[in-house]
Amino acid sequence: MGHRIPEETIEAIRRSIDIVDVIGEYVQLKKQGRNYFGLCPFHGEKTPSFSVSPEKQIFHCFGCGAGGNAFTFLMDIEGIPFVEAAKRLAAKAGIDLSAYQLNIHGHDDGKTGEAKAMTEAHALLKRFYHHLLVYTKEGQAALDSLQARGWTKETIDRFEIGYAPDAPDAAAKLLESHSFSLPMMEKAGLVTKKEDGRYVDRFRNRIMFPIHDHRGETVGFSGRLLGDGQPKYVNSPETPIFRKGMLLYHFHEARVPIRKRQEALLVEGFADVISAVQVGIDYAVATMGTSLTEEQARILRRHAETVTICYDGDSAGTEAAWRAAEQLSALGCRVKVASIPNGLDPDEYIRVHGKERFAGEIAAAQPLMAFKMTHLRRGKNLQHEGDRLRYIEEVLREIGKLPSPVEKDYYVRQLAEEFSLSLSALNEQLSRCERETSMPRKTAAGGKVSRPTLAKKLLPAFHNAERLLLAHMMRSRDVALLVQERVGGRFNIEEHRALAAYIYAFYEEGHEADLGALMFRLPGELQPLASELSLLLVADEVSEQELADYMKHVLNHPKWLMLKEKEQEKTEAERRKDFLTAARIAKEMIEMKKMLSSS
């Protein structure tokens, strides 16, 4: 068996997969012209600047500079090594890599040995707990309680729900019998160490809900106590493989339905997701009982245009829905809020009222502004003048945050009609609210109004010339050979010099112009530059005169730098009153300028 994948096999994988399909599993892409665009998964943004070229089989973000091919995208997004990315893409392409010994180090999945052991231990316990629940008398009471709440055997199997026995060290003994280090298992949150040195199970007499990462691997558990007692829930702690704020429950299964619908249903708990999925809402995910984090919000935004929030119907759930809606809206999501009546959570509502009523509540979800207006009415007597004026002012403040002028006008007119107020008065108050809201962002220290700075400065002529030369070189073997002959390694910017060297070598190996193949030969630090330059809008055909102009800028730049140095030397000589030296330098400068103008 070989210990590495041959280059021709890598090339076959590359030619067999479509980068749009690969990235489309992680990023919502829309076609614009010849390329696809979406929100960059590597940094937060509201406006899509992430471009994928099906023609060149590359991606590039114009916001953060990330770029590369399908292999590097998987490596970056999943944090995996090249071999694992190649294995996943080969599986998509139907290419068999079994002839190659790719796991000789025992962790070809990109994890450290410790992390791999932890995920394997979680997978073992997941199977153990599920078996106890479904196939043993010991788990019968737990199984009966789950079925009593309406969950079918199919649902229990689908979510791999299990039962942790009421024994002190059943899991610890199982793990130890499979050669897992118990100190490491303590670090993984599966066992705890007693004062006498014994290791005991973290989860006992609990219905077990496995928690998966976004790749589908089990990385944690949530255990609900069977019967009375406290605490009702025991959850896995933060571990090297489990970061609660970075994951959404059920996302590994819901990602595809979310992308197809361009909508996610966001709920608070495991039971809410499980009941929603059982009644056919397979695009439901949960924050696992905690507030929505920024990373979770970004994950949702990358995959869905619309997020419908359906939290518990009590006051705490409503407040949490407001906060989550604000976060998602700020990232550019279209947010709707489904209000569950009678203080029920989604799981309870489905059990009490059934599938059709719940589906109706989701379908009737309010737009975010309408939800806010309903929420702001709570606790106010709108027949009372003071409460009415306070409500109008609070609503106007929220209207002022809306990005759409049409939405603003719609809700201002709604206020005017409901309270018999003039549009001019409301719009004047709205403008005042908007000024007050924007003031802190516009005013800098010292009371001066800060001004936005340009994200990118205009590049010098030589810098632009080098970029354009490299862009043409990647597209044409003939151009590259011409530049190699006349410029060689005399690019002025080190990164450009390095990329040019790789381009020269690529063509010297006998390859024709092929950006995808070139990308494989570039080190990771050069791939973003190459992907960016490949997307420059340059003509397919470039004239010799245009190329000559670019090369002239590149080659003359060092001479212009020397001229500046001479100018400084002349100024220094004049300061010292050494006029003879100053005159000599001035003469040299005249000759240099003549040479530059004639070259």
Side-chain angles (χ1 to χ4, degrees), residues 72-87:
T72 52
F73 178 84
L74 273 186
M75 291 165 69
D76 291 341
I77 198 74
E78 294 282 10
I80 58 176
F82 176 80
V83 167
E84 175 64 14
K87 286 173 65 178

Side-chain angles (χ1 to χ4, degrees), residues 126 158-160 209-220 242 247-253 288:
K126 176 182 69 178
R158 178 173 183 173
F159 285 89
E160 302 173 293
F209 299 91
I211 302 170
H212 301 86
D213 65 16
H214 295 171
R215 294 169 57 186
E217 293 189 336
T218 307
V219 293
F242 178 51
L247 300 176
L248 288 161
Y249 181 69
H250 188 240
F251 185 78
H252 68 296
E253 293 285 352
M288 297 183 281

